[in-house]
Amino acid sequence: MEVTLADIVARLGGEVSGDTAMRFNRIGPLAGATASTVSFLSNPRYRAQLADTRAGCVIVAPSEADEARGRPGGGAVIVTPDPYLYFARLTQMWAALSRPRDAAGVHPTAVVDAAAQVHPTATVGALAVVAAGAVVGEGAVIGAQSHIGRDARIGAHTRLAPRVVVGDGCSLGERCIVHSGVVIGADGFGFAPTEGRWEKIEQLGAVRIGNDVEIGANTCIDRGALDDTVLEDGVKLDNLIQIGHNVHIGRHTAMAGCVGVAGSARIGAHCTIGGAANILGHLQLVDGVHVSVATVVTRSILKPGHYSGVFPFDDNAAWEKNAATLRHLHQLRDRVRALEKKLV
């Protein structure tokens, strides 16, 4: 596939200099680019590569525009206030043009219950199952071997990769992307201890997912025990994430791989959770909280900001004493400094 510079600018805008008839067949990094590559500069650490790149076109911010136009290798330049955002939209354009479109209709090997509703423009892949009462919306794609449970709802233009499970009564909004291996609506982890054994608590809620949500491969989102587990619009989850029952995640919050969120935690909007971080159950994180990788959040965070913490495990009693002492370490430091000044 090839696109011209004129095609790109017509769709995405930007201030362009260079031959708009130039053709490109690849998006790539500055290093190793060729004359048929569109590249971009958004991270200052790669600015040194701008002078040496052979990319046919570079996307830059206004502050790098003169340098990009004067590079020895020549080539076209697109100037835009946010090169990374422009790059993201260019990848979307590229994917829309290059990826084959799924043919509407139900594959002969799929099983669609007579009581299900599948929009005529939707796609149901090979060996997929759509159970009674389920609704698959306009332009939605149900990947091969996926399972849509009873009374589940798949919104318009939502795309499920192969081998996705959406449990009974669960719903996804419009334009969602769900990658392979995802399970939405498995039972939450609920058991009552009795006489040395565990009595199962039936999970009677569901999972409600908003619009424009993306869920990475092998991520699991448990149904609620009574109320629903909720992901609001624009939430982005990476691979191998566990979302416990009755968790509520606010709009446009993003989580990196291997995050675990225990039951009934409530996470606000526009938060970011770094990879392998853990959030204990029944806690609240307000809007605008950013948690670093591998941090264990053990108490509610009621003030927006950036939070970090990695502490070695130990016998619980000793760990709690050390953790309590660590919280007062800065106060002890100030007292020691004050004493040192008196001695001097």
Side-chain angles (χ1 to χ4, degrees):
M1 190 198 77
E2 289 187 335
V3 297
T4 66
L5 182 58
D7 293 334
I8 295 172
V9 176
R11 288 172 180 259
L12 303 179
E15 178 188 333
V16 64
S17 58
D19 181 4
T20 56
M22 293 178 66
R23 305 184 74 83
F24 303 97
N25 60 20
R26 178 174 177 263
I27 306 170
L30 293 168
T34 66
S36 60
T37 302
V38 182
S39 192
F40 70 100
L41 174 64
S42 64
N43 192 324
R45 73 175 65 181
Y46 298 113
R47 185 167 184 170
Q49 297 179 5
L50 187 59
D52 298 327
T53 187
R54 298 297 175 181
C57 178
V58 292
I59 304 164
V60 298
S63 57
E64 284 85 35
D66 291 341
E67 185 177 351
R69 294 187 183 110
R71 59 199 168 99
V77 177
I78 297 174
V79 181
T80 180
D82 190 339
Y84 198 58
L85 177 61
Y86 198 102
F87 157 72
R89 290 174 175 165
L90 179 60
T91 63
Q92 294 172 12
M93 169 187 161
W94 210 276
L97 294 172
S98 62
R99 288 176 181 165
R101 296 186 179 182
D102 296 285
V106 177
H107 192 276
T109 63
V111 179
V112 178
D113 192 278
Q117 300 177 39
V118 177
H119 195 277
T121 62
T123 300
V124 180
L127 302 175
V129 174
V130 182
V135 177
V136 179
E138 176 185 356
V141 176
I142 309 302
Q145 298 181 317
S146 292
H147 181 97
I148 311 302
R150 293 187 307 274
D151 301 317
R153 298 288 187 274
I154 309 298
H157 307 290
T158 283
R159 177 161 52 91
L160 274 56
R163 300 183 306 280
V164 168
V165 175
V166 179
D168 296 351
C170 297
S171 64
L172 287 88
E174 299 180 356
R175 300 175 301 279
C176 296
I177 300 172
V178 184
H179 294 276
S180 292
V182 166
V183 177
I184 297 169
D187 277 359
F189 193 66
F191 300 90
T194 175
E195 299 177 347
R197 60 183 179 84
W198 299 99
E199 190 77 18
K200 182 176 177 61
I201 300 170
E202 291 293 343
Q203 305 294 288
L204 304 179
V207 177
R208 288 188 289 114
I209 295 174
N211 300 327
D212 303 302
V213 171
E214 183 158 355
I215 303 171
N218 293 325
T219 283
C220 295
I221 303 170
D222 290 346
R223 64 175 60 247
L226 298 175
D227 293 329
D228 295 340
T229 302
V230 177
L231 277 64
E232 295 185 2
D233 293 350
V235 168
K236 310 298 182 188
L237 302 183
D238 199 357
N239 301 337
L240 296 166
I241 288 175
Q242 164 65 27
I243 303 298
H245 58 184
N246 296 108
V247 168
H248 190 119
I249 302 176
R251 64 193 186 281
H252 305 297
T253 282
M255 298 184 183
C258 298
V259 164
V261 183
S264 299
R266 190 172 186 91
I267 299 171
H270 301 283
C271 296
T272 57
I273 313 297
N278 288 278
I279 299 170
L280 273 58
H282 302 276
L283 301 183
Q284 178 186 1
L285 276 63
V286 298
D287 297 351
V289 167
H290 305 286
V291 177
S292 294
V293 298
T295 295
V296 180
V297 179
T298 59
R299 65 182 187 277
S300 291
I301 300 176
L302 304 179
K303 180 180 178 181
H306 191 173
Y307 296 83
S308 305
V310 179
F311 199 72
F313 85 95
D314 198 349
D315 170 81
N316 188 70
W319 186 92
E320 288 183 343
K321 290 178 182 178
N322 289 331
T325 301
L326 189 64
R327 291 181 60 188
H328 299 288
L329 190 60
H330 65 287
Q331 297 174 347
L332 293 173
R333 180 198 62 187
D334 292 343
R335 290 172 63 186
V336 168
R337 286 183 175 176
L339 290 170
E340 287 177 338
K341 287 181 180 178
K342 287 182 179 180
L343 292 174
V344 173

